[in-house]
Amino acid sequence: MPKLDISSEQIKKIRRILFSQEIEVHVKSEWGAQWERHSEEIHTALEKNKKKGDKFSISHTHNMGGYVVLNSPGPWSLGFDIEVIDRVSPQVVRRVSFSKKEIEKAPSSESLWTAKEACFKALQGPTQPTVISQIEIGSWTTYDSQIETYKMQN
């Protein structure tokens, strides 16, 4: 199985794009859901790296898992999602989309799904909608085949 870890260059690029040197991204193929102890290993690593008050978000898919940590004061929310693109079908994305326009403006169905998942994770407590289709995503910028940004529209 090929190694699917994120490179230090990709992490630097993410920090530049998000204007945040305080964000840490940790991704490993060994944390994928195919491994029996993946969840425990992600949480153990997270506990070693986060400090009191840090925001964090965890994600995993079959062959990769990881987390992000943001050490920054303020009202920021953080959502993170990893997905294998073959698992995302256009039919499912249509079902969870806010509108047809939202789908048309997204770079791909996979990108839209991942963005919605990340937003849903970031919106915790009373701000979290009851269903993911209530989140509208737009204002996309594609930096490369692995990095895109977007804004929640509502």
Side-chain angles (χ1 to χ4, degrees):
M1 176 181 292
K3 232 167 154 44
L4 299 170
D5 301 344
I6 191 167
S7 73
S8 60
E9 288 306 310
Q10 288 171 307
I11 293 170
K12 287 177 188 174
K13 189 174 192 177
I14 291 167
R15 287 178 174 155
R16 279 194 312 272
I17 292 167
L18 298 178
F19 304 107
S20 176
Q21 294 304 307
E22 294 83 20
I23 195 162
E24 295 180 34
V25 182
H26 302 269
V27 177
K28 292 186 177 184
S29 54
E30 294 86 8
W31 292 342
Q34 83 274 18
W35 303 108
E36 186 177 323
R37 296 178 41 137
H38 73 280
S39 183
E40 181 182 329
E41 290 185 21
I42 291 171
H43 282 89
T44 298
L46 173 62
E47 288 304 316
K48 288 179 184 176
N49 284 299
K50 78 176 183 78
K51 299 168 192 72
K52 186 176 181 177
D54 283 356
K55 287 109 176 140
F56 65 92
S57 185
I58 297 171
S59 184
H60 68 274
T61 190
H62 180 71
N63 57 358
M64 182 184 281
Y67 63 92
V68 294
V69 176
L70 179 61
N71 182 338
S72 182
W76 316 115
S77 294
L78 185 62
F80 171 65
D81 192 56
I82 299 172
E83 191 56 74
V84 175
I85 60 172
D86 297 347
R87 291 190 60 222
V88 181
S89 73
Q91 296 83 3
V92 170
V93 172
R94 280 194 299 274
R95 192 180 77 237
V96 301
S97 293
F98 187 81
S99 66
K100 186 176 178 181
K101 180 179 164 187
E102 179 185 47
I103 297 170
E104 291 168 356
K105 291 192 174 212
S108 67
S109 294
E110 297 85 2
S111 296
L112 183 56
W113 173 263
T114 305
K116 283 182 165 280
E117 284 278 314
C119 280
F120 192 78
K121 291 175 183 181
L123 298 170
Q124 296 183 8
T127 61
Q128 190 176 58
T130 54
V131 292
I132 202 167
S133 60
Q134 294 173 319
I135 299 170
E136 183 180 12
I137 303 293
S139 301
W140 289 90
T141 303
T142 301
Y143 293 91
D144 63 34
S145 65
Q146 299 295 308
I147 301 173
E148 299 163 336
T149 61
Y150 55 88
K151 293 181 182 172
M152 195 171 82
Q153 304 296 298
N154 53 351

